[in-house]
Amino acid sequence: MIQVYFDTEFTELSRRGTLISIGLVDESNHHFYAEFNDYDDDHLNEFVTGTILPRLRFNKDCIERKSFNNDTVVNVDMRGSTEEIKKELKAWFKSLHLNNYIKNGNEDQIQFYTDCYAYDWMLFAEMMWGNGFDIPKTFSYIPIDLSTAFWADGIDPDYSREKYAGVLPGDDEQKHNSLWDAEIIKKCFFGLRGEIPIVNMDEEQVGELRPL
C-alpha cells in the first residue's frame, strides 16, 4: 500500500459544505497542498472566518511545483478552482504510483489515512470521483481514521493530536491549516504503529480498550 495522509478544511459541517483547502502527505514526505478559490462563502461561521481562513497561505491564484530528491514526485502548492486542483491532484497521484512502481516494481493501491473522516472523506471523494462507486481500483475506498485508531488503542478519541505527536505548547499556530494537520495525522499514525516514539501522553487519557 502507498500511504497518503490527508486533511481538509471546509465551509461547514453539513451537506452544503464545500472545500476550502486540502493537504496530503505520503510516507516519504511528498506533499500536495491546495486552496480553493471557488468555495461557497454564503454560510461561513465564526470558527471558519476566525480560525480557518487566517491559516490559508495564498492571497491569489498560483501554482508551485518543486522536485523532491530528484525522483518522479514533485511537491505541489497551489491556489485555484476545483477543476484545476482536481487535475493537478490526479497528476500527483499518478506520480506516486509511478514512483512506487519504479522503486518496488508493483502497482500498489493508495491507502488514505485521515482524522475524523465523515466530512473530509465525503467531500474529497466527491470532488475527485463524483461518488464512491467511481473510485478507481488503484485507490482503496476504505479510509482509515485516527479517531477510531485511538479508541482501539485505548486512547480517548478526542485526545489532542498535537500533544500525541509531540508538538510543544505554542508551536501549534498552524493548527487547522490542512497540510499542517495532515502532517500531524501522519505523526500520530506513526506513533500508534511504534515507528516514532510517543513520550508525552497524559496517563488519564490512556485506559482499557473501550467496549463497543
Side-chain angles (χ1 to χ4, degrees), residues 12-25:
E12 59 180 315
L13 290 168
S14 82
R15 294 172 64 184
R16 298 179 305 188
T18 56
L19 289 169
I20 295 173
S21 70
I22 184 168
L24 308 96
V25 59

Side-chain angles (χ1 to χ4, degrees), residues 125-144:
E126 183 178 34
M127 185 267 291
M128 287 298 299
W129 303 294
N131 67 78
F133 290 108
D134 292 331
I135 297 175
K137 292 183 179 180
T138 49
F139 300 88
S140 171
Y141 68 92
I142 303 174
I144 309 299

